[in-house]
Amino acid sequence: MQQSLFASENKDQVAGSEGFSRGDLNAAQLEAATSMGVPLLVIAGAGTGKTRTLVYRMAYLIEQGVAAENILLLTFTRKAAQEMTERAAALIRDPGQRVTGGTFHSMANILLRKYGHHLGYAPNFTILDRSDSEGIINLIKSSLELGGSGKRFPSKRVVCNLLSRSVNKCSSVEAVIEDQYSHLHEYHAELERIFDHYRKFKFEHGLMDYDDLLVNLRQVMTEEPQVREEITGRFKHVLVDEYQDTNPIQADIVRLVASGHNNVMVVGDDSQSIYSFRGADFRNIMDFPKVFPETKVVRLEENYRSTQAILALTNAIIDKAEEKFTKKLFSNIEGGPKPLLQGSWDESAQARWVAERIVELQGRDVPLTEIAVLFRSGFHSYKLELELTNRHVVFEKRGGLKLTESAHIKDVLAYLRVTNNPEDHLSWNRILLLLEKVGPKTARNVLERIRSAEDPLLAVSEFPAGKSWQTGLKKLVEMLISLRAPGLKPVAMFDLAIEYYREIFERIYHDDYPTRSRDLDQLRQLVSGYVDLQSLMDDTTLDPPEATDESLGGRLGMPPEQMILSTIHSAKGLEWDHVFVINLATGRFPTCQPFMTQEWEEERRMFYVAATRARQRLYLSYPREVMSFDRQAQAGGMSPFLAELSPVLFDSGDRSAAPIQRNGPSLPGRPRTPVVTRRAPDISRLTEGATVRHPFFGEGKVEKMAGNHSVEVFFARHGRKTLHLDYAKLELVD
């Protein structure tokens, strides 16, 4: 008989080994894998081997006589479930012993095929994919006459997103609109009607979408005791991976499946709970011991990824959290410098500093694949993208589009491109199609006139436009003529283009223009760093050179070696030798205010996740000057999350970088114009019910004083906004 994998003489730690050799667990992992008779909450810090622990847990249960089919493993990806169940089977050297594993949705599908008839569903119900759901939403919109020509009702994509968020967060449609879709407040009643019709349509036609799989499994287990008993009797042990990412429905399903025996082990890290925007609920992991009394908490704290110098910083970051399961990560990886903290003058100087460090790493033969730059929001990397492109550093961006991949950014740049080069027919085609009542055929006719003209703009102005688009064409021509005025700097041209484009922007992107507006604000900051239009046009092309030789990533025909630019959300679960975290500045990270406690704490956890991605070297960077929401230069300074940490945790970089006005991101030029900092409005004159004016949102009414320096204002066209009086340029309307 094969000797047990968990015999006492096999408890020696084999740090970092990925094989299935015996005794490949440290003391905490072994405790988590072998504890029996109580619910288990395994708090697995970053890089502490949670997957290995789950694999050994499955192997141990089978060794103890539990049939593999009586063990249920729930994960968030099919790949993770398959990998873990295969590893467990290999560990016990019995391929036939395969644990039942899969995602929450896949297991719900299997169980509802058997038990869905209790809810009125036949076993052959159809599962809708996203495009199917959007098609039904579109059909309902049409039948209710809520969409159509000339109407600005939200698109089927946005309606689907909103309804799904409502289901996954267990919130009403109204609450979701208030929280994340305030600009759609006027459509609240219509969206409720769509939701009601959508539910009825699915039921009447034997359809379920992905969200229904979870909702209906929870419902049948709640309402049918016999069903619940059969399921809990089949799955006598339940294991859950990444429990901090579960939503309220998934947590209820775990509770129901384990209710007959309480043999449940969930593995996760409260410090890495950062997906509330997807419906994940931080309270699930924090309240697990309350839901399952007598829970045993096991902490995995030995980190196999990072140096101790990096872990000292990450421990300090999360130690400031208001609510947490206390843990201290430690590592036996010796050596390694402290994290490097760099304060630059502004975001342009920051981009230069990061790009220079990356080029230096390349010079020391560090592979680009072992370098990553992480940031809070997708637009935070725009200036760095330009710097890297100019230095021929090939990169891939994850979690947000590159600067010129966003449609609204392309729109604005197209106006500047035809000004710089009137023969740019691609840009002409784009801006013509932005006009109402102009389609591809009409645009082609105008382009034919442009091709044969000496002055394309004159040719456009003289084109015999139809009545329906005469006015729009005239406004376009007037704007383009204004861009030709002598002596205009690129930022002045940008402002003229934006003034014209704003109405088109809100018409075309009415579903999410408040979010897209931030990109335009960031683009303006970038444009303000240029003194001539040609340099701006060259840099915003953003086409990295093709890999034609070994200097760009290997042999001919092979994809180039790339570094990664990524939002923190997209970087979770990944790791690199060298990690830069940028824009750690007040107003950039965190993006919320201190009185927004839940959001503030989640942003702190995001910082923790970013820092724990680094194996050997961690670089933290912030600009001293940032642009505020209303485009005013403001003193930035390090993020509150940095400011509260002890200086002994860092090494300091060169903070003497001076501001430079440039023709392009790397070219010296004239001195920068001094920054003018605004004073905050007089808060004593602002009262609830007062009418105020904002330069972008227009007129609105103050609904609440949200703090010493913040107010909540409702704007008729943009919904409810929380504005910080130090930044927002509010005027009191008498």
Side-chain angles (χ1 to χ4, degrees):
M1 182 176 177
Q2 180 185 338
Q3 184 179 3
S4 170
L5 294 164
F6 300 89
S8 59
E9 61 267 26
N10 293 322
K11 292 182 182 180
D12 296 335
Q13 175 182 329
V14 184
S17 171
E18 281 298 324
F20 294 116
S21 59
R22 296 185 301 175
D24 197 16
L25 298 176
N26 63 37
Q29 291 170 338
L30 185 65
E31 181 182 10
T34 59
S35 293
M36 297 287 281
V38 292
L40 283 170
L41 171 58
V42 181
I43 301 299
T48 58
K50 70 176 179 63
T51 299
R52 179 173 300 153
T53 303
L54 278 166
V55 168
Y56 270 81
R57 174 68 173 182
M58 288 184 280
Y60 180 75
L61 291 174
I62 293 171
E63 274 200 350
Q64 298 305 302
V66 180
E69 62 266 25
N70 293 141
I71 303 171
L72 175 62
L73 170 67
L74 293 172
T75 66
F76 279 86
T77 66
R78 285 182 295 178
K79 182 180 178 181
Q82 182 177 356
E83 177 190 348
M84 284 190 272
T85 55
E86 287 177 353
R87 285 174 60 177
L91 193 62
I92 60 173
R93 300 178 184 177
D94 186 352
Q97 290 274 31
R98 288 292 295 272
V99 168
T100 303
T103 65
F104 280 88
H105 291 87
S106 65
M107 296 312 303
N109 173 47
I110 293 171
L111 293 172
L112 286 170
R113 297 291 176 188
K114 183 175 182 179
Y115 300 112
H117 65 89
H118 290 281
L119 303 178
Y121 285 92
N124 64 341
F125 65 82
T126 298
I127 299 176
L128 302 171
D129 63 18
R130 182 54 183 260
S131 62
D132 294 330
S133 296
E134 290 182 357
I136 295 172
I137 292 294
N138 223 26
L139 182 66
I140 294 171
K141 280 174 57 180
S142 299
S143 67
L144 297 177
E145 298 183 350
L146 296 176
S149 178
K151 297 186 179 180
R152 297 176 59 188
F153 195 81
S155 69
K156 59 186 180 182
R157 175 184 62 84
V158 169
V159 174
C160 265
N161 286 341
L162 190 154
L163 299 186
S164 179
R165 192 157 296 178
S166 170
V167 171
N168 283 290
K169 293 182 75 70
C170 295
S171 298
S172 66
V173 171
E174 182 178 16
V176 173
I177 291 174
E178 288 290 319
D179 184 40
Q180 299 189 9
Y181 294 87
S182 58
H183 61 293
L184 302 181
H185 188 270
E186 61 184 298
Y187 302 114
H188 163 243
E190 292 90 341
L191 289 167
E192 289 278 15
R193 289 178 64 199
I194 288 177
F195 200 7
D196 288 340
H197 281 75
Y198 180 54
R199 282 183 292 202
K200 292 175 184 175
F201 184 95
K202 288 184 294 182
F203 182 76
E204 290 170 359
H205 293 82
L207 307 171
M208 291 191 203
D209 61 26
Y210 292 132
D211 297 330
D212 292 327
L213 292 172
L214 301 183
V215 170
N216 289 336
L217 177 59
R218 179 180 63 175
Q219 182 180 347
V220 74
M221 291 189 71
T222 301
E223 296 178 355
E224 303 292 335
Q226 182 181 350
V227 170
R228 183 169 65 253
E229 289 171 9
E230 287 187 25
I231 293 174
T232 59
R234 174 182 173 184
F235 299 119
K236 298 176 181 178
H237 288 268
V238 183
L239 289 75
V240 187
D241 189 22
E242 302 284 10
Y243 193 70
Q244 78 281 348
D245 294 335
T246 55
N247 64 31
I249 302 174
Q250 291 163 328
D252 283 346
I253 289 172
V254 172
R255 174 181 56 80
L256 289 164
V257 175
S259 61
H261 45 66
N262 284 349
N263 293 324
V264 55
M265 181 176 93
V266 300
V267 180
D269 185 2
D270 54 295
S271 300
Q272 297 187 68
S273 178
I274 61 172
Y275 291 118
S276 65
F277 69 96
R278 294 182 186 169
D281 192 340
F282 175 71
R283 295 253 49 93
N284 287 348
I285 193 166
M286 299 307 299
D287 292 344
F288 186 86
K290 298 177 184 176
V291 175
F292 291 93
E294 301 181 3
T295 289
K296 180 178 184 179
V297 179
V298 179
R299 293 169 171 81
L300 305 186
E301 298 174 301
E302 182 168 2
N303 178 284
Y304 298 104
R305 174 190 300 163
S306 307
T307 65
Q308 188 58 46
I310 292 173
L311 296 181
L313 176 75
T314 61
N315 286 335
I317 293 170
I318 209 62
D319 190 53
K320 304 293 183 181
E322 287 195 358
E323 187 176 8
K324 61 186 177 296
F325 286 104
T326 302
K327 59 184 175 297
K328 292 289 182 184
L329 299 186
F330 66 93
S331 173
N332 289 319
I333 300 174
E334 298 180 357
K338 294 180 182 179
L340 181 64
L341 177 63
Q342 169 71 18
S344 300
W345 181 269
D346 58 13
E347 291 177 78
S348 296
Q350 173 184 246
R352 291 196 300 274
W353 181 82
V354 172
E356 288 165 1
R357 300 294 79 72
I358 290 170
V359 171
E360 287 176 5
L361 290 173
Q362 282 186 285
R364 301 195 332 244
D365 294 326
V366 174
L368 277 178
T369 52
E370 288 300 338
I371 304 173
V373 180
L374 309 182
F375 32 85
R376 171 62 183 86
S377 301
F379 59 82
H380 285 177
S381 68
Y382 285 171
K383 295 192 178 183
L384 179 59
E385 292 173 36
L386 298 182
E387 285 289 345
L388 294 175
T389 300
N390 280 351
R391 297 168 190 266
H392 306 305
V393 177
V394 186
F395 63 87
E396 174 190 345
K397 185 172 181 182
R398 299 176 181 173
L401 296 175
K402 290 183 180 180
L403 174 61
T404 53
E405 288 178 345
S406 302
H408 51 297
I409 297 292
K410 289 182 178 180
D411 293 345
V412 176
L413 289 176
Y415 298 124
L416 302 182
R417 290 189 189 284
V418 298
T419 301
N420 184 64
N421 175 19
E423 304 297 329
D424 184 346
H425 295 163
L426 187 63
S427 294
W428 271 115
N429 185 64
R430 186 176 194 91
I431 64 179
L432 289 169
L433 290 175
L434 292 174
L435 298 174
E436 280 197 281
K437 308 299 182 182
V438 172
K441 183 178 179 181
T442 301
R444 282 197 301 271
N445 292 337
V446 179
L447 285 173
E448 285 300 320
R449 182 72 63 92
I450 290 174
R451 287 190 179 95
S452 59
E454 291 186 12
D455 184 344
L457 182 55
L458 180 61
V460 172
S461 67
E462 294 177 348
F463 189 87
K467 289 184 179 179
S468 62
W469 57 286
Q470 269 181 351
T471 302
L473 184 65
K474 181 181 178 182
K475 289 181 179 179
L476 171 63
V477 170
E478 289 174 349
M479 185 273 295
L480 292 175
I481 290 174
S482 70
L483 296 187
R484 289 183 168 188
L488 282 184
K489 291 184 178 180
V491 69
M493 300 171 73
F494 177 88
D495 288 341
L496 289 170
I498 283 291
E499 183 179 352
Y500 161 82
Y501 177 65
R502 185 67 65 184
E503 183 178 342
I504 296 173
F505 173 62
E506 293 188 11
R507 168 172 56 84
I508 295 177
Y509 306 109
H510 63 276
D511 288 335
D512 59 353
Y513 67 83
T515 300
R516 291 175 182 261
S517 290
R518 293 183 301 175
D519 291 342
L520 296 179
D521 292 339
Q522 294 299 311
L523 179 60
R524 186 184 189 279
Q525 293 178 39
L526 188 151
V527 171
S528 66
Y530 289 81
V531 295
D532 73 271
L533 189 57
Q534 185 63 60
S535 296
L536 172 65
M537 295 297 95
D538 291 344
D539 287 345
T540 53
T541 300
L542 278 178
D543 289 328
E546 294 182 2
T548 55
D549 57 44
E550 293 186 3
S551 67
L552 288 177
R555 292 168 294 184
L556 287 170
M558 298 296 289
E561 182 182 275
Q562 302 181 104
M563 62 165 292
I564 296 297
L565 305 185
S566 177
T567 61
I568 296 168
H569 285 112
S570 296
K572 185 173 177 289
L574 304 176
E575 56 189 74
W576 297 269
D577 285 347
H578 297 262
V579 172
F580 295 79
V581 187
I582 63 172
N583 269 320
L584 285 163
T586 301
R588 287 286 185 271
F589 198 156
T591 58
C592 57
Q593 300 298 325
F595 62 83
M596 303 167 70
T597 305
Q598 291 183 5
E599 293 86 347
W600 185 272
E601 289 301 306
E602 180 160 320
E603 299 250 340
R604 186 196 307 280
R605 297 193 293 270
M606 271 191 268
F607 182 27
Y608 173 83
V609 167
T612 53
R613 300 309 94 197
R615 297 193 198 103
Q616 299 177 9
R617 197 76 165 97
L618 177 63
Y619 308 80
L620 306 172
S621 174
Y622 67 93
R624 291 199 186 93
E625 175 193 298
V626 297
M627 299 298 289
S628 68
F629 179 78
D630 54 353
R631 302 177 184 175
Q632 299 295 312
Q634 300 283 344
M638 66 173 64
S639 162
F641 297 151
L642 281 175
E644 66 189 8
L645 301 178
S646 169
V648 302
L649 297 170
F650 310 101
D651 282 334
S652 296
D654 179 12
R655 304 185 186 185
S656 61
I660 298 175
Q661 181 79 17
R662 305 178 313 283
N663 292 326
S666 303
L667 303 177
R670 294 183 296 181
R672 186 188 181 94
T673 304
V675 176
V676 178
T677 304
R678 296 177 50 252
R679 288 182 176 274
D682 182 4
I683 194 171
S684 64
R685 298 188 62 203
L686 291 178
T687 58
E688 292 183 9
T691 301
V692 294
R693 182 180 292 110
H694 186 275
F696 174 71
F697 296 131
E699 286 195 5
K701 284 197 177 296
V702 175
E703 291 195 339
K704 187 168 107 178
M705 307 306 293
N708 291 336
H709 293 280
S710 299
V711 291
E712 286 188 9
V713 182
F714 183 82
F715 298 95
R717 294 186 61 190
H718 300 271
R720 185 173 290 99
K721 303 292 177 185
T722 300
L723 302 175
H724 197 291
L725 296 176
D726 289 340
Y727 306 136
K729 192 185 289 184
L730 284 180
E731 297 176 6
L732 192 63
V733 179
D734 294 328

